[in-house]
Amino acid sequence: MDEFNNINDNEKESGVMSGETNEQTTQINPTGETQTQPEPLVEEKTVEKTVVKKQSVVSLWLSGLVGGLTVAVIGFLLLFNGVIPFQNETIPNNDTSEPTSSLIQTATTEDDVATDMLSDVGEAVVGVANIQNQSLWSESNDAGSGSGVVYKVEDDRAYVVTNHHVIDGANSIEVILADGERVEAQLHGSDELTDLAVLSIDKEHVSTVATFGSSDDLVVGETAIAIGNPLGEEFAGTVTKGIISGVNRSLTVDSNQDGRADWTVDVLQTDAAINPGNSGGALINSQGEVIGINSMKIALEAVEGIGFAIPIDEAQPIIDQLETEGEVNRPFMGISAVDFSTVPTEHVTRTLNLDPNEVSSGIVVAEVHPSSSAAEAGLETYDVITEIDGTAITNMMDLRQYLYQETSIGDTITVTFYRDGTQSTVDVTLQGE
């Protein structure tokens, strides 16, 4: 097995300037044209004095009326076009009658979210601190932080869902409440593939529990609101609003950071701002129901407003298993393997006895676990698996996808493989991990 020492992959792992203005003396008419007063007609000068005086009084009165109306109209227009700012001052009102509904209503749509409802949901979103010991001689400190959602209170415990990557590697975990109080949390279980984890704290610290909604019937354009603690405690309880930008997005994840995709996750895409620290927080709909657990974003300089959340309908079964069993029990063949594409050509021909033109993809068995399903079925080291139940297996991610999504513990699968250049099949009854 020296040939595979550096490429072994366990089936279980996933991996203003101011300026002065001159006063304008030219008269401007309402259309903006400059007017020049015409010379009075000669006949007007011969009119009797009393008539002239009477006309002057009437003209004065009319001009005053027109002028006042003009000022009022212009002022009204300027006010509502933002030129004249509203003054924040109290206006006395001696009218003791009840206000009419048209005076107190504001425009609403079915997607508006009441602030009191946001406040309630916000209290169910907490901070999660990952505490690690850097060395034997140093004090423990926060290695990172994220968010979590209180989703259930049972007996004397309050349960919190967050992301696996938020608590990964922690020596201890603390939940940070809305008032800044930190409470030690118990880790019930964590799952790397789905990036979910379940914690619990004493229920005396919890007054609000979030309600799970449904993600299956979401459509693009619906309101989406993210609640969490971006960048840590300083911005705890931040609320950002957007829409559902996409449903059923598939993203490949390299969970073990080895440069190869380990798993494909189905996620919701949203343009609600999601930043580091939002992970594990709630994505809610306009009814205040949790429809997703915020998990990741595309962090590129040229990319803005593309964040992702784990759909709650897919997350809930995982949450239930982590809460009760501490892990997700999935079908398991009992092998460690590497992608065929990573094997050097000379080993393909010499060790595996295969023609690269005949077999170009699959997985190579590097180890068969004792007493496993694979061992009982007779699979051996160096076997090259190319199909399961007629479905092509081109790499380890294909194997996981098929086993975890298409089969259950106890199912029997038919494995097609090559051994020493010869194709064979074998039935394998799957065990649990």
Side-chain angles (χ1 to χ4, degrees):
M1 287 307 298
D2 293 338
E3 297 91 337
F4 306 104
N5 282 342
N6 296 324
I7 50 177
N8 191 15
D9 185 13
N10 194 297
E11 170 195 350
K12 297 177 63 178
E13 297 179 346
S14 54
V16 263
M17 273 176 12
S18 61
E20 296 180 352
T21 58
N22 294 324
E23 181 179 353
Q24 297 296 315
T25 58
T26 305
Q27 294 182 351
I28 307 295
N29 68 11
T31 63
E33 297 174 348
T34 303
Q35 286 187 329
T36 303
Q37 294 296 329
E39 290 293 331
L41 297 176
V42 174
E43 288 79 357
E44 291 183 356
K45 296 182 181 180
T46 63
V47 177
E48 292 183 6
K49 182 176 182 181
T50 56
V51 177
V52 173
K53 182 176 181 182
K54 186 175 181 179
Q55 275 189 330
S56 298
V57 172
V58 173
S59 299
L60 181 61
W61 180 79
L62 287 174
S63 62
L65 177 60
V66 173
L69 288 174
T70 301
V71 170
V73 171
I74 293 175
F76 179 84
L77 293 174
L78 289 175
L79 180 63
F80 284 92
N81 281 280
V83 178
I84 301 175
F86 284 104
Q87 298 299 315
N88 185 20
E89 58 188 15
T90 302
I91 301 176
N93 184 5
N94 298 323
D95 186 1
T96 58
S97 62
E98 290 293 326
T100 63
S101 60
S102 61
L103 295 178
I104 61 175
Q105 285 182 336
T106 56
T108 60
T109 70
E110 60 183 8
D111 281 339
D112 281 342
V113 182
T115 55
D116 56 346
M117 183 172 63
L118 279 177
S119 178
D120 289 342
V121 179
E123 290 182 8
V125 178
V126 297
V128 177
N130 180 322
I131 302 172
Q132 297 183 12
N133 298 322
Q134 300 301 321
S135 69
L136 294 175
W137 300 274
S138 64
E139 296 183 357
S140 300
N141 55 28
D142 291 2
S145 66
S147 306
V149 183
V150 181
Y151 68 91
K152 174 183 177 180
V153 172
E154 186 174 86
D155 297 330
D156 61 344
R157 305 299 289 177
Y159 293 86
V160 180
V161 59
T162 186
N163 286 146
H164 166 83
H165 75 263
V166 170
I167 55 85
D168 189 27
N171 298 113
S172 61
I173 303 168
E174 290 182 346
V175 165
I176 308 169
L177 306 177
D179 60 1
E181 181 184 1
R182 299 170 72 113
V183 180
E184 186 175 355
Q186 174 188 346
L187 175 63
H188 287 262
S190 183
D191 184 57
E192 185 177 28
L193 287 184
T194 57
D195 195 23
L196 291 169
V198 172
L199 321 170
S200 72
I201 59 176
D202 195 297
K203 72 174 185 180
E204 68 174 352
H205 302 289
V206 172
S207 60
T208 305
V209 175
T211 300
F212 286 169
S214 175
S215 55
D216 283 348
D217 54 357
L218 291 174
V219 296
V220 172
E222 284 192 53
T223 295
I225 299 168
I227 307 178
N229 298 349
L231 308 182
E233 297 179 55
E234 183 179 358
F235 299 102
T238 293
V239 177
T240 55
K241 181 179 179 181
I243 62 171
I244 297 294
S245 305
V247 296
N248 298 324
R249 297 293 200 215
S250 293
L251 300 178
T252 56
V253 178
D254 178 11
S255 56
N256 57 8
Q257 303 299 310
D258 64 352
R260 287 178 290 167
D262 299 302
W263 185 245
T264 298
V265 294
D266 293 327
V267 293
L268 301 173
Q269 180 185 335
T270 179
D271 66 347
I274 295 176
N275 293 289
N278 271 118
S279 291
L283 187 71
I284 69 172
N285 59 20
S286 57
Q287 287 76 48
E289 300 167 332
V290 178
I291 54 174
I293 304 300
N294 299 323
S295 180
M296 65 191 86
K297 66 177 292 185
I298 296 181
L300 296 175
E301 185 177 350
V303 177
E304 183 177 346
I306 302 182
F308 303 99
I310 304 166
I312 200 62
D313 287 333
E314 295 190 14
Q316 194 156 8
I318 305 299
I319 294 170
D320 292 342
Q321 287 191 61
L322 294 177
E323 180 189 322
T324 59
E325 302 176 24
E327 62 182 0
V328 178
N329 201 3
R330 298 185 173 96
F332 180 55
M333 285 180 60
I335 62 171
S336 296
V338 297
D339 293 350
F340 182 85
S341 61
T342 66
V343 179
T345 302
E346 64 262 29
H347 294 317
V348 171
T349 56
R350 279 195 255 170
T351 306
L352 304 178
N353 294 319
L354 289 175
D355 181 354
N357 294 320
E358 181 181 356
V359 179
S360 59
S361 64
I363 58 173
V364 182
V365 177
E367 180 185 0
V368 179
H369 302 172
S371 303
S372 67
S373 300
E376 293 177 358
L379 287 174
E380 299 177 0
T381 301
Y382 296 155
D383 285 349
V384 181
I385 298 174
T386 58
E387 293 182 3
I388 296 180
D389 293 337
T391 300
I393 303 298
T394 62
N395 49 44
M396 283 299 295
M397 186 172 68
D398 284 349
L399 175 64
R400 296 188 187 96
Q401 294 283 118
Y402 189 85
L403 292 180
Y404 300 164
Q405 296 182 348
E406 304 297 333
T407 70
S408 300
I409 297 171
D411 287 354
T412 298
I413 60 175
T414 299
V415 178
T416 301
F417 66 97
Y418 284 85
R419 181 183 296 167
D420 291 328
T422 302
Q423 187 185 65
S424 302
T425 63
V426 65
D427 289 339
V428 178
T429 300
L430 300 173
Q431 300 172 344
E433 289 182 346

